[in-house]
Amino acid sequence: MSWNSPDPRNFHYHLHAHRPGDSSPLGGTEPTAEDSINTDELPESLRQTIERLELIVHRGGHSRWPMPTVREYIARISAIVPDGTRNTYSGYWRVVEQAWGDRRLNEPTTAEITDLVKQHQSRAAPRINATQARGAGGLIDALRCLYRYAEYDGLIDPSDNSARKVARPPQTRRSKLPLSIEQLHELADVAETTGNDRELDGLIVRLHMETACHRRSPLHLHIHDIIREDCTLRLREESGDLRWQPISPTLLQHLLEHIDARGGSRTTTQVLRDHTGQPVTDRRYDNLHSRFRKHLRWAAEQHVTVTRIRYTTLNYVERQFGKAVSRAYGGSHRHTGRNTLFPYNRPGIYDVARALQSLTGEEQPLAHGPFPGLSER
């Protein structure tokens, strides 16, 4: 069929057809209502395209909803972010809400954000792992998270995002330096010989040494997160992500004995509990860290927490098995390189189990891999 044939099914003909005798630079007259296209006769896919374009043109330069106040938007974002994000940033968002709650979200400038960060630093109470930039990094991260969602919602253009333009203070490297073997033994000795619950504190230190988990992960560890057959734990990260972490048979046995000796599942489903069977909280960690500083001068000078134990374990794994295995051991699978095979050849739980076996000197069921006959020697 020719494009110029007067076939009513020919879309090109509908666009350019004109009546005989009309005069125009192209042989026709100015379009009239009779010459307009009846969209009811167009194919369904084309009609949907036209409607989508009309929607884009209609929304151009306009957000999906009026610019909310800072208080309104914090409430909206707090309801949709993961629990880990909410727990991390809620305190900082309260600071922002107190300062600018009734202002529109796009009103605070870069200079005002910088000034708010300085004010927060001057008021922030020193923490045991504080640096000179105490509170600054967390507040900036919270603001960036808030305004990143505003970008997603079309409320703020990325080029106008004031939170992006505020520099985050560099994090000190001292807090991430690994501990020596002697220092690890001293921390374990303090946990097991001081305090009102030595068995619990010793178990906490051993748990962090083997799993390199974050501080909050053991607080959310429940009985059903223990997989006895494979000697693994299902850990919840601060971000809300889950990861399966191999542990030694000795640690598994201690965890099970701890649960049975303190009421089993009758009192709570949480693994770590005190003498009364009640779940432990952050206060247990604060008490443990205080005793580290009280009994060890170097621990007080370096503001040592269980996080330093995590860095020490990951440093050992990196030196012995490489960075990729160390990232997997610590629950991080981020990859910024250009290796397109990374999703297929990145280290897995079997590599982590082999690293744990080297760390503890105990056999781990998963260390032989899915094919024991082909496993690495």
Side-chain angles (χ1 to χ4, degrees):
M1 176 175 61
S2 172
W3 278 109
N4 295 322
S5 62
D7 190 320
R9 294 171 297 178
N10 192 323
F11 183 61
H12 184 274
Y13 172 80
H14 279 285
L15 288 178
H16 299 284
H18 60 275
R19 290 171 292 184
D22 293 338
S23 59
S24 72
L26 297 178
T29 61
E30 292 296 326
T32 65
E34 297 177 0
D35 297 324
S36 62
I37 302 174
N38 185 359
T39 57
D40 293 335
E41 299 177 359
L42 299 180
E44 179 64 25
S45 59
L46 183 59
R47 188 181 304 111
Q48 293 176 357
T49 301
I50 293 175
E51 292 175 355
R52 186 164 61 250
L53 290 174
E54 289 176 350
L55 186 62
I56 294 174
V57 172
H58 177 71
R59 288 183 176 176
H62 301 283
S63 61
R64 299 179 183 178
W65 43 67
M67 185 64 64
T69 64
V70 172
R71 180 176 292 103
E72 292 171 344
Y73 200 65
I74 288 177
R76 180 184 301 167
I77 297 306
S78 296
I80 65 174
V81 296
D83 293 340
T85 302
R86 186 186 307 106
N87 294 335
T88 302
Y89 294 144
S90 59
Y92 297 110
W93 285 339
R94 283 194 294 270
V95 173
V96 177
E97 186 176 347
Q98 291 173 0
W100 304 325
D102 296 327
R103 298 181 63 181
R104 296 296 173 184
L105 186 65
N106 60 342
E107 290 182 1
T109 64
T110 302
E112 289 177 315
I113 292 178
T114 303
D115 185 61
L116 180 64
V117 171
K118 291 181 179 179
Q119 293 178 25
H120 178 66
Q121 282 184 262
S122 64
R123 295 192 303 263
R127 298 165 54 187
I128 62 174
N129 60 345
T131 63
Q132 291 182 346
R134 68 188 187 200
L139 181 57
I140 292 174
D141 289 342
L143 282 165
R144 287 181 177 178
C145 175
L146 186 70
Y147 279 87
R148 185 166 59 249
Y149 276 95
E151 289 182 8
Y152 298 157
D153 290 337
L155 295 171
I156 294 179
D157 188 87
S159 60
D160 298 329
N161 188 340
S162 300
R164 283 178 177 265
K165 303 172 185 178
V166 180
R168 194 184 191 284
Q171 186 176 14
T172 176
R173 290 290 301 172
R174 185 180 184 184
S175 63
K176 291 191 175 183
L177 292 177
L179 301 170
S180 66
I181 297 299
E182 292 75 14
Q183 289 174 326
L184 280 177
H185 284 311
E186 290 180 0
L187 292 180
D189 185 65
V190 169
E192 295 174 348
T193 60
T194 65
N196 60 0
D197 198 338
R198 303 173 184 180
E199 183 269 334
L200 173 61
D201 291 333
L203 188 60
I204 289 176
V205 171
R206 175 73 184 246
L207 184 62
H208 282 275
M209 289 177 64
E210 286 201 16
T211 66
C213 60
H214 291 92
R215 168 174 170 165
R216 291 187 178 275
S217 296
L219 300 179
H220 300 286
L221 182 65
H222 294 269
I223 297 176
H224 61 266
D225 293 322
I226 300 177
I227 297 89
R228 304 189 185 192
E229 294 77 8
D230 296 332
C231 275
T232 57
L233 300 179
R234 182 170 56 184
L235 299 177
R236 290 167 178 80
E237 299 291 354
E238 293 180 341
S239 61
D241 296 335
L242 295 176
R243 67 181 174 101
W244 280 257
Q245 186 74 20
I247 58 174
S248 67
T250 298
L251 178 57
L252 175 67
Q253 186 62 30
H254 284 321
L255 290 174
L256 297 178
E257 291 176 355
H258 174 79
I259 294 172
D260 291 338
R262 304 200 172 187
S265 59
R266 299 186 304 274
T267 55
T268 178
T269 61
Q270 185 171 316
V271 173
L272 299 180
R273 65 278 297 276
D274 58 23
H275 283 300
T276 65
Q278 295 302 308
V280 299
T281 64
D282 274 324
R283 291 185 178 182
R284 192 74 225 171
Y285 279 91
D286 294 337
N287 180 277
L288 181 61
H289 296 158
S290 296
R291 283 185 281 124
F292 287 162
R293 300 195 307 274
K294 177 180 178 181
H295 296 279
L296 302 172
R297 176 179 295 180
W298 61 267
E301 294 174 349
Q302 300 182 27
H303 307 296
V304 170
T305 68
V306 292
T307 303
R308 285 288 292 278
I309 299 177
R310 164 182 165 84
Y311 295 146
T312 302
T313 299
L314 295 181
N315 178 268
Y316 169 82
V317 174
E318 180 177 333
R319 290 178 178 273
Q320 299 295 323
F321 298 90
K323 290 184 177 180
V325 177
S326 177
R327 286 197 299 267
Y329 201 108
S332 174
H333 291 288
R334 292 178 296 177
H335 179 70
T336 57
R338 302 186 64 182
N339 181 7
T340 56
L341 294 178
F342 178 74
Y344 308 101
N345 61 15
R346 69 184 180 187
I349 192 171
Y350 304 105
D351 302 280
V352 173
R354 281 189 282 270
L356 173 70
Q357 186 170 272
S358 172
L359 176 71
T360 62
E362 294 186 45
E363 287 288 333
Q364 217 290 333
L366 297 177
H368 298 292
F371 308 107
L374 301 178
S375 62
E376 297 178 2
R377 300 295 182 183

